[in-house]
Amino acid sequence: MARTDFSGRVALLTGAGGGIGRSLARMLGGLGFELALVGRSEEKLRAAAEYAGRAQRALLLPGDLMERGFLEGVVDRVLERFGRLDALINNAGICFSKPLEETGYGELDAMMKTNVLAPYILCRDAIASLRESDCATIVNIGSVVSHAGYVGQSAYGAAKHALLGMTKALAAEVYQQGIRVHILCPGAVNTGMARIISRPGMDMDALISPEDIADVTEFLLTHRGNAVIDEVRLHRAGKQPF
Ligand SMILES: NC(=O)c1ccc[n+]([C@@H]2O[C@H](COP(=O)([O-])OP(=O)(O)OC[C@H]3O[C@@H](n4cnc5c(N)ncnc54)[C@H](OP(=O)(O)O)[C@@H]3O)[C@@H](O)[C@H]2O)c1
């Protein structure tokens, strides 16, 4: 039986002000979760909280996940405010397209810190609280690039492959503790990021909608049968999975 009411439960969502993040925030608010929203822009977080119907109650945590001091304080701040944590959605991410030969040290560092290190640390810091939850779920937002290698995307691909590997290992580590860990790997989604990815053959008129990502994430949160869904790969019907 699918659970549909998460009143009194708490979800931590990163990248909440972005294209996919706003839809995720709205879906989580609709399920009844209290929200803790992370992103660089406070203004975008406020707009996301409003969009999610949580304008008054959401905890806004504006900050840079690349900064260790901020990153390692996030879960503590959620617990200080709400006293519990039930769902973690690691959605914040960056992407750029550039030949490996031209990729700077700082660019690679930012890619790995945002897309791998931050979700890793948030998972680590969330586990103790999730263990106490009756609906403990982690969803990491990967990409089709978690599996494929595209010209100009060695840095993004390295990061998303790493996120996939980390997710698989963690899912096995904490399954017996009642914590479900998933990765969702979409092809191009209709957000600002898709417009800067520009992979060869990408059809800008046929992108996945952010609401599709929210719908699948909702399914992962609400269905907790014995069939474990560790990974979901999404691409446009009739299209190659890029
Ligand atoms: N769009 C696609 O085609 C696509 C496809 C597959 C997977 N994905 C993945 O989906 C996720 C969301 O992407 P999106 O398309 O919604 O992109 P987006 O609109 O650019 O949103 C990215 C979000 O991440 C936040 N963020 C980035 N760096 C951060 C940092 N250092 N500290 C805190 N927050 C940070 C941004 O904050 P600000 O709002 O403050 O800038 C923004 O809210 C990413 O992990 C991406 O890799 C996207």
Side-chain angles (χ1 to χ4, degrees), residues 14-22 24 38-42 44-45 61 63-67 70 90-95 110 113-115 118 141-145 156 160 163 184-197 199 202 207-208 210 213:
T14 69
I20 294 173
R22 275 169 58 86
L24 289 170
V38 176
R40 290 171 298 194
S41 153
E42 184 164 5
K44 287 192 206 168
L45 292 183
L61 296 171
D64 187 343
L65 289 167
M66 291 199 294
E67 286 174 14
F70 173 73
N90 282 304
N91 164 68
I94 57 168
C95 175
K113 278 189 173 136
T114 310
N115 294 3
I141 305 297
S143 163
V144 63
V145 175
Y156 189 51
K160 291 296 188 183
L163 186 67
L184 212 159
C185 295
V189 183
N190 193 6
T191 71
M193 183 181 283
R195 287 182 273 285
I196 60 161
I197 297 173
R199 283 192 283 275
M202 202 162 105
L207 301 177
I208 296 167
I213 307 299

Side-chain angles (χ1 to χ4, degrees), residues 203-219:
D203 182 353
M204 296 304 288
D205 294 324
L207 301 177
I208 296 167
S209 77
E211 290 74 24
D212 287 339
I213 307 299
D215 286 349
V216 176
T217 306
E218 177 173 342
F219 182 88

Side-chain angles (χ1 to χ4, degrees), residues 58-241:
L59 172 63
L60 306 188
L61 296 171
D64 187 343
L65 289 167
M66 291 199 294
E67 286 174 14
R68 184 174 175 182
F70 173 73
L71 173 63
E72 291 199 306
V74 166
V75 170
D76 282 346
R77 289 168 71 186
V78 175
L79 296 178
E80 270 165 32
R81 167 70 172 272
F82 296 112
R84 62 183 296 147
L85 179 58
D86 301 279
L88 166 63
I89 309 210
N90 282 304
N91 164 68
I94 57 168
C95 175
F96 58 79
S97 292
K98 196 173 241 202
L100 186 149
E101 190 180 9
E102 294 169 18
T103 301
Y105 187 99
E107 290 172 317
L108 181 62
D109 191 50
M111 183 69 82
M112 300 308 282
K113 278 189 173 136
T114 310
N115 294 3
V116 186
L117 193 134
Y120 191 107
I121 296 298
L122 291 178
C123 286
R124 181 198 71 184
D125 293 352
I127 285 170
S129 305
L130 292 176
R131 225 177 258 131
E132 306 301 316
S133 169
D134 59 355
C135 56
T137 308
I138 295 174
V139 179
N140 293 328
I141 305 297
S143 163
V144 63
V145 175
S146 294
H147 292 276
Y150 294 102
V151 171
Q153 300 213 325
S154 56
Y156 189 51
K160 291 296 188 183
H161 271 69
L163 186 67
L164 174 65
M166 176 277 245
T167 306
K168 284 179 174 175
L170 179 61
E173 272 181 28
V174 298
Y175 179 77
Q176 296 298 344
Q177 301 168 33
I179 305 172
R180 299 293 168 87
V181 186
H182 313 283
I183 186 162
L184 212 159
C185 295
V189 183
N190 193 6
T191 71
M193 183 181 283
R195 287 182 273 285
I196 60 161
I197 297 173
S198 73
R199 283 192 283 275
M202 202 162 105
D203 182 353
M204 296 304 288
D205 294 324
L207 301 177
I208 296 167
S209 77
E211 290 74 24
D212 287 339
I213 307 299
D215 286 349
V216 176
T217 306
E218 177 173 342
F219 182 88
L220 296 174
L221 288 161
T222 53
H223 289 72
R224 288 176 68 90
N226 286 331
V228 178
I229 304 157
D230 51 4
E231 182 187 359
V232 181
R233 298 170 76 166
L234 277 178
H235 58 92
R236 277 292 297 235
K239 297 280 171 186
Q240 287 302 308

